[in-house]
Amino acid sequence: MMPHQAVLNYVKAEPFRPFRIHTASGRTFDIRHPEMIKVTKYCVLVFRTEDPAIEVPSEWEMVSLTLTESVSLIEAPVR
């Protein structure tokens, strides 16, 4: 389980650095901009858009923090 404050630390970092959320099922979610994620106490909402030129997200997915194993910077090697 990942505490919501740990994810918020990545979202609010100055300067922002893209990061990846790793889940227990093996799925990953890349967060390349702080406006593409909303953190709540028990889950995160990850927003995506098919066309980077469009500023409004076209879809979103809810990711449980209970099933989140880790968060890593995208530039860092994944273990």
Side-chain angles (χ1 to χ4, degrees):
M1 178 177 174
M2 180 68 54
H4 72 280
Q5 190 60 47
V7 179
L8 272 175
N9 290 341
Y10 281 91
V11 175
K12 295 182 181 245
E14 292 286 336
F16 177 81
R17 295 174 63 192
F19 62 92
R20 181 173 289 132
I21 297 172
H22 304 267
T23 66
S25 68
R27 293 186 68 194
T28 60
F29 297 88
D30 289 354
I31 310 301
R32 299 194 178 277
H33 194 279
E35 292 180 0
M36 300 307 285
I37 186 170
K38 176 68 177 169
V39 180
T40 71
K41 191 170 183 178
Y42 301 106
C43 69
V44 295
L45 298 175
V46 178
F47 300 95
R48 288 188 288 248
T49 182
E50 294 175 12
D51 183 356
I54 300 174
E55 295 182 19
V56 178
S58 56
E59 58 185 63
W60 60 273
E61 191 157 355
M62 187 181 310
V63 181
S64 169
L65 290 172
T66 304
L67 301 175
T68 300
E69 288 191 338
S70 64
V71 178
S72 65
L73 296 174
I74 289 180
E75 296 83 7
V78 178
R79 295 186 222 179

